[in-house]
């Protein structure tokens, strides 16, 4: 089971919006040095919504090649079309990804039975570990714990990213599934409590900016060491909040650029962080002990 700090990596871009491969390689080395446990390629934070399919697949392959087996690479391959999700998942497997992360179909609002059949079809079509991804705030679709429990029995489905921030779901999903089914949070603000309650880690945005601290905090929480986890998490709380001061990944890309790890680049319809938010993010970075360039 992949556990701990699973960083939903930003996709470095040039000012004209082209994918910046050199910065991506530098970013990957930074995370491996800092103790990040796994990386997510082209998730929401990686701007999957504005990459075309060729770019999407090329980015997964580039990350797999750069990581070279040192930590797991989880490829974002979700779509609101089941056929498209199957195609992306097949290509991620060919690229060498260790697992795939599949967001619930967005906008078209399937029923719980539709969600079950969607994920069942992908799992049957592609023999690769698959992680369900529930984020109703973005998708207008809630994958309920009872449906997760049904899907946990499907071969190839190995875990869920539960990004509702509802802590009660940790115990609920755990009681409905086996101990080897991974339960991750996608909500940085509650990630410590989530792991103290039995979660297996966080697919994190904050980990882009403070990777070592997030890794250390999550493992302390998973060991049940509340005192240490709270001590590490306290300076991170400003990041947990202010990295969402505008739509993700706008603030986190700005923060990583302030660290000198990437250039200033983002794709429309997203825009660069507005100046009135700079101090809030910068102060949160300083509070967390993050070095600015």
């Amino acid at each position: 089971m992949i556990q701990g700090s699973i960083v939903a990596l930003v996709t470095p871009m040039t000012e004209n919006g082209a994918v910046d491969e050199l910065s991506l390689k530098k970013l990957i080395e930074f995370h491996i040095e800092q103790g990040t446990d796994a990386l997510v390629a082209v998730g929401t934070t990686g701007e999957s919504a504005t990459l075309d399919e060729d770019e999407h697949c090329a980015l997964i392959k580039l990350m797999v090649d750069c990581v070279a087996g040192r930590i797991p690479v989880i490829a974002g391959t979700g779509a609101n079309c089941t056929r498209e999700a199957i195609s992306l998942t097949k290509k991620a497997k060919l690229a060498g990804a260790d697992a795939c992360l599949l967001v619930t179909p967005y906008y078209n609002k399937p029923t719980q039975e539709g969600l079950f059949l969607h994920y069942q079809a992908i799992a049957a079509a592609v023999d690769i570990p698959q992680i369900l991804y529930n984020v109703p705030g973005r998708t207008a679709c809630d994958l309920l714990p009872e449906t997760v429990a049904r899907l946990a029995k499907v071969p190839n489905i190995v875990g869920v990213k539960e990004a509702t921030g509802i802590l009660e779901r940790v115990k609920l999903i755990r009681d409905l599934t086996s101990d080897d089914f991974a339960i991750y949070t996608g909500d940085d603000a509650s990630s410590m409590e989530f792991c103290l309650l039995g979660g297996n880690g966080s697919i994190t945005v904050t980990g882009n900016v403070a990777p070592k601290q997030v890794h250390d905090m999550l493992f302390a929480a998973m060991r049940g060491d509340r005192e240490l986890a709270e001590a590490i998490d306290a300076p991170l709380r400003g990041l947990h909040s202010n990295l969402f001061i505008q739509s993700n990944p706008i603030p986190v890309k700005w923060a990583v650029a302030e660290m000198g790890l990437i250039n200033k680049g983002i794709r429309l319809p997203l825009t660069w962080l507005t100046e009135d938010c700079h101090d809030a993010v910068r102060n949160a970075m300083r509070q967390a002990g993050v070095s600015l360039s």
Side-chain angles (χ1 to χ4, degrees):
M1 182 191 293
I2 300 169
Q3 297 194 82
S5 177
I6 303 164
V7 174
L9 197 67
V10 299
T11 297
M13 295 176 180
T14 63
E15 288 200 42
N16 66 4
V19 174
D20 184 349
E21 294 187 8
L22 288 177
S23 292
L24 179 65
K25 292 173 183 177
K26 181 168 71 172
L27 203 54
I28 288 168
E29 295 305 320
F30 168 74
H31 279 283
I32 291 171
E33 290 166 8
Q34 291 290 307
T36 290
D37 299 291
L39 293 170
V40 173
V42 283
T44 305
T45 309
E47 294 177 79
S48 56
T50 58
L51 295 171
D52 65 37
E53 186 172 325
D54 288 343
E55 290 174 317
H56 190 117
C57 297
L59 197 53
I60 293 168
K61 181 70 165 64
L62 180 61
M63 283 185 61
V64 168
D65 290 348
C66 290
V67 168
R70 290 174 288 175
I71 58 175
V73 174
I74 301 169
T77 58
N80 62 350
C81 168
T82 306
R83 291 182 180 184
E84 182 182 356
I86 289 171
S87 174
L88 288 171
T89 304
K90 285 180 175 177
K91 289 174 181 176
K93 181 183 178 181
L94 286 173
D98 296 281
C100 289
L101 177 67
L102 293 121
V103 71
T104 54
Y106 43 86
Y107 190 76
N108 42 13
K109 294 187 176 181
T111 63
Q112 294 300 303
E113 185 64 15
L115 290 169
F116 175 80
L117 293 171
H118 169 80
Y119 283 117
Q120 183 186 55
I122 302 164
V126 195
D127 185 14
I128 189 172
Q130 296 171 29
I131 300 165
L132 315 170
Y133 176 14
N134 186 39
V135 57
R138 280 189 178 263
T139 63
C141 173
D142 189 4
L143 183 68
L144 297 178
E146 294 77 12
T147 308
V148 173
R150 290 179 68 195
L151 287 165
K153 299 173 184 176
V154 174
N156 296 326
I157 296 179
V158 300
V160 62
K161 176 183 176 182
E162 172 55 56
T164 60
I166 302 171
L167 290 172
E168 291 80 3
R169 288 199 175 183
V170 184
K171 185 177 186 304
L172 195 53
I173 295 171
R174 179 59 69 218
D175 288 347
L176 292 169
T177 60
S178 62
D179 288 343
D180 60 356
F181 185 78
I183 308 173
Y184 308 112
T185 181
D187 180 61
D188 279 297
S190 61
S191 61
M192 181 190 72
E193 293 293 344
F194 189 99
C195 289
L196 284 165
L197 288 168
N200 301 109
S202 176
I203 297 179
T204 169
V205 175
T206 301
N208 279 279
V209 179
K212 184 179 188 305
Q213 297 96 309
V214 172
H215 164 89
D216 291 348
M217 178 270 289
L218 292 171
F219 272 90
M222 287 189 291
R223 290 194 306 270
D225 189 340
R226 174 177 287 276
E227 184 177 358
L228 178 58
E230 287 181 340
I232 300 170
D233 193 52
L236 298 174
R237 289 174 192 160
L239 287 176
H240 296 334
S241 173
N242 289 332
L243 288 180
F244 299 91
I245 200 168
Q246 291 182 350
S247 295
N248 181 47
I250 292 171
V252 70
K253 288 200 88 173
W254 183 89
V256 177
E258 284 291 289
M259 296 165 69
L261 294 170
I262 64 173
N263 295 307
K264 178 180 176 180
I266 200 164
R267 282 193 183 176
L268 289 171
L270 299 180
T271 52
W272 204 238
L273 187 70
T274 54
E275 191 170 351
D276 58 308
C277 295
H278 288 189
D279 285 346
V281 178
R282 193 179 285 119
N283 290 339
M285 294 170 73
R286 290 187 179 123
Q287 182 183 25
V290 176
S291 298
L292 285 75
S293 62

